[in-house]
Amino acid sequence: KVKDPLTLVSYALNSQAALREANLQATTTQLPRHSSVWSLPPAPHFKVNFDAYISTVHQIVGIGVVIHSCDGQFIAGLSKKLRILSSAELAEALAAREAVSLAKILMIPSFILEEDAFSVIKHISSSDEILSKLGTVLEDIRITLSNKHLVDVV
């Protein structure tokens, strides 16, 4: 029990500094990833890569999408910042939805959807129903893909 007001103020300032430092060190949340080397998609297909980043301190989700042709030509890219606080899995699913939407807008006839977070890829490939915001985003992806020629999801 602290009786001296100056000791209490000192303790509060030290605690605040420790909290600020902890927040700066833990600004990102990521899903488990596997390391892989990017490779060209087989002809005549395209490859659509996507990823997401979360800053918990700034409550921002960053999304990136890149599309390449079978000969490695850059076709299109997209990046977005969303001011939301979400789980890493939901952020990756939002990035996947942007990737699939971009491929649809560009009328990419057949493509490989590639990302390095296993759980999102697994969910997209599955027909399991998930009753949450994540499930809604996954259903959007599946509907968009239903009339596209998706070669593979890796």
Side-chain angles (χ1 to χ4, degrees):
K1 191 171 181 180
V2 179
K3 294 180 182 179
D4 178 20
L6 291 177
T7 304
L8 181 60
V9 169
S10 176
Y11 177 76
L13 290 174
N14 287 337
S15 295
Q16 181 185 24
L19 178 62
R20 188 180 359 248
E21 180 65 27
N23 282 333
L24 289 174
Q25 290 177 358
T27 60
T28 63
T29 304
Q30 294 185 347
L31 291 176
R33 301 179 180 281
H34 69 281
S35 61
S36 62
V37 176
W38 189 87
S39 62
L40 291 172
H45 311 296
F46 292 77
K47 189 173 274 189
V48 179
N49 294 87
F50 65 92
D51 204 358
Y53 165 86
I54 297 176
S55 171
T56 54
V57 171
H58 298 99
Q59 297 185 350
I60 292 175
V61 172
I63 291 173
V65 178
V66 178
I67 300 176
H68 286 92
S69 66
C70 60
D71 59 358
Q73 291 277 92
F74 172 81
I75 302 300
L78 171 144
S79 67
K80 279 188 176 183
K81 280 185 189 176
L82 305 174
R83 283 213 155 276
I84 60 170
L85 186 58
S86 77
S87 68
E89 192 171 43
L90 179 57
E92 297 288 350
L94 290 168
R97 182 170 66 183
E98 291 293 332
V100 170
S101 294
L102 182 60
K104 180 180 179 180
I105 289 167
L106 296 175
M107 296 185 282
I108 303 291
S110 64
F111 58 91
I112 296 169
L113 187 62
E114 185 176 77
E115 212 277 337
D116 56 1
F118 287 125
S119 65
V120 173
I121 295 299
K122 181 180 162 192
H123 286 313
I124 292 169
S125 302
S126 169
S127 60
D128 294 344
E129 187 175 2
I130 300 173
L131 301 174
S132 67
K133 192 171 185 176
L134 173 63
T136 303
V137 173
L138 293 169
E139 188 60 26
D140 287 348
I141 295 166
R142 291 181 193 127
I143 289 168
T144 303
L145 290 174
S146 65
N147 52 2
K148 299 296 294 175
H149 182 66
L150 180 64
V151 178
D152 200 0
V153 181
V154 293

